[in-house]
Amino acid sequence: MAAEKEIIEIRISPEGEITVEGLGFQGDECDAALDPYLKALGAARETRRKPEYFRGVSRGRTVRVGE
Amino acid sequence: MSKIVKINLQIRDPEAFVQALRDVFGQEAVEVLQAKTTQEAVQAASQGKGLARRAYGGVFFRDAVAVVRVGTPYAASLRQEDGRVLEIRGRVPYSDMALVAREDGSVELLADHFTDQQLLTALRAAYVRRVAEKVARRQGLGHQVLDPVLRENGEIVVRVVRIG
């Protein structure tokens, strides 16, 4: 089976709010991958873990950053 | 101050924002305060030793780290979700557009409130892309930053793909 591609998706709303989401990561790998982007773009304001995270195989984590 | 619009984006990396301004306006159109480092430029500007910018009504302030002068033309493009390309063209209206430093050392973009919202969207996209590229470079090989994409709801998406 081909490995799922790991993607970090950064979304900027029309109001300037930034959301960072990890897709296709395995568990804690997602945190490690997202953290440098969060630090560079702004302080975390909201963190929401997806249910998959707690099942060992994570579809990712969504974190909103901004003012 | 009613003639000012803020980009509503926390700018934590002034150097990346200057690069974004150059991406949109071109290298020559962006005046940058000369200093050994960006941090020093921000510090000088925050103390009123920065580049002079002209605000609405002809008032001048010396608080700018980087300036794009009123009247400067721009031509940017953003890829849309459906594959089309949004072309953004115009001129900086009425006031200089400037990356200014506050007394506390933070920076923000100030622009006239008649500034094209699509231009601000292009600047946000260029900034986030530049920051993402910087982080991806630090992370090493195998991180590829894709072109920003503008969604129908106005949201910009920048994707970083980990390969291998």
Side-chain angles (χ1 to χ4, degrees), chain B residues 94-144:
Chain B
Y94 305 112
S95 309
D96 291 341
M97 181 178 282
L99 182 66
V100 305
R102 297 298 183 205
E103 283 180 9
D104 64 3
S106 63
V107 297
E108 63 180 334
L109 182 77
L110 293 186
D112 193 274
H113 84 191
F114 286 109
T115 301
D116 183 356
Q117 283 300 312
Q118 289 183 332
L119 170 62
L120 298 181
T121 299
L123 282 170
R124 287 184 187 126
Y127 170 65
V128 171
R129 181 192 188 147
R130 284 292 187 173
V131 172
E133 284 175 343
K134 220 169 164 177
V135 175
R137 269 199 303 277
R138 280 202 302 264
Q139 297 294 96
L141 294 171
H143 289 239
Q144 187 186 0

Side-chain angles (χ1 to χ4, degrees), chain B residues 13-50:
Chain B
D13 187 338
E15 190 183 10
F17 201 88
V18 169
Q19 287 175 323
L21 284 170
R22 286 180 162 150
D23 288 342
V24 171
F25 291 101
Q27 184 80 11
E28 300 301 319
V30 184
E31 291 174 45
V32 181
L33 180 61
Q34 294 301 309
K36 280 181 189 166
T37 63
T38 306
Q39 200 178 352
E40 282 183 13
V42 170
Q43 198 178 356
S46 72
Q47 295 164 354
K49 297 171 188 166

Side-chain angles (χ1 to χ4, degrees), chain B residues 50-111:
Chain B
L51 293 171
R53 67 172 169 93
R54 197 181 83 174
Y56 180 79
V59 182
F60 280 87
F61 297 91
R62 293 195 66 89
D63 57 2
V65 176
V67 174
V68 182
R69 297 298 174 191
V70 57
T72 301
Y74 55 84
S77 59
L78 263 179
R79 198 158 61 83
Q80 294 173 292
E81 222 172 356
D82 59 8
R84 288 182 300 165
V85 175
L86 175 67
E87 299 289 348
I88 303 161
R89 291 174 190 278
R91 285 178 183 275
V92 175
Y94 305 112
S95 309
D96 291 341
M97 181 178 282
L99 182 66
V100 305
R102 297 298 183 205
E103 283 180 9
D104 64 3
S106 63
V107 297
E108 63 180 334
L109 182 77
L110 293 186

